[in-house]
Amino acid sequence: NGGNAARLSILKQLRILFRSKVFTYTSFALCSLFFVVTGIQVWITKYLEKAVRADYGTIIWMFTLTSATAPTLGVFFGGWLCERLGGYRGEEGLARSSKLVCCFALLAVGSAAPAGFYRDLNTIIALIWLLLFWGAGILPLATGLILSSVPVSLRSFSSAVSMFMYNMLGYALGTILPGFLQTKIQENYNV
């Protein structure tokens, strides 16, 4: 119950959470997802303008449309499909949801990987749309896996810990690390 968790120290609660491999691996996987998505959101306009030499106005409206529709539809689709296949109920439901997360992740990576090899704006935007769609489809599944992998009394705490991880290792690092690396490369190679 909730009272038991409140009596545990934060360190003990963290130990319980990180003993759960599902909580740990899924939280870090979502950190990497948010790292990639944030990096795309911050750097895509500059990349498309400089490397692809696309018109800035066209980039803005295409990426705005992409980033508004793909994640929204992906979250709905992921939640709908998970529920349609039986949700998280029991061991079978958790296993099925885990496999679906892996399938969506492979589809996201398969969409993203070729994007850097194209110089056509429409193709790149279509691939980014697919990446954002499949990545967003992971969210309801992974969130359910995280919450179902920890004791009920620690669900609020696990949600807070995972949100902290997403913000620090995903969103923040997705803006800071690429910028830092770009600066270092420019300094070392006089680019």
Side-chain angles (χ1 to χ4, degrees), residues 45-132:
T45 52
K46 189 173 205 157
Y47 170 77
L48 292 174
E49 191 178 23
K50 302 277 185 196
V52 179
R53 302 201 184 281
D55 173 64
Y56 184 75
T58 304
I59 294 167
I60 294 300
W61 79 260
M62 287 180 86
F63 186 67
T64 299
L65 186 64
T66 297
S67 61
T69 59
T72 304
L73 293 172
V75 166
F76 283 118
F77 178 73
W80 172 81
L81 187 58
C82 178
E83 203 52 42
R84 181 104 169 126
L85 295 175
Y88 311 104
R89 289 177 277 289
E91 294 282 325
E92 285 181 26
L94 291 174
R96 195 172 34 251
S97 296
S98 297
K99 290 174 186 173
L100 199 52
V101 165
C102 291
C103 288
F104 283 7
L106 288 172
L107 288 166
V109 170
S111 302
F117 296 100
Y118 286 96
R119 292 290 174 248
D120 174 60
L121 178 64
N122 293 328
T123 304
I124 295 169
I125 290 292
L127 290 169
I128 290 172
W129 194 95
L130 289 169
L131 163 68
L132 295 176

Side-chain angles (χ1 to χ4, degrees), residues 132-146:
L132 295 176
F133 176 83
W134 294 118
I138 292 170
L139 290 177
L141 300 161
T143 303
L145 287 171
I146 286 171

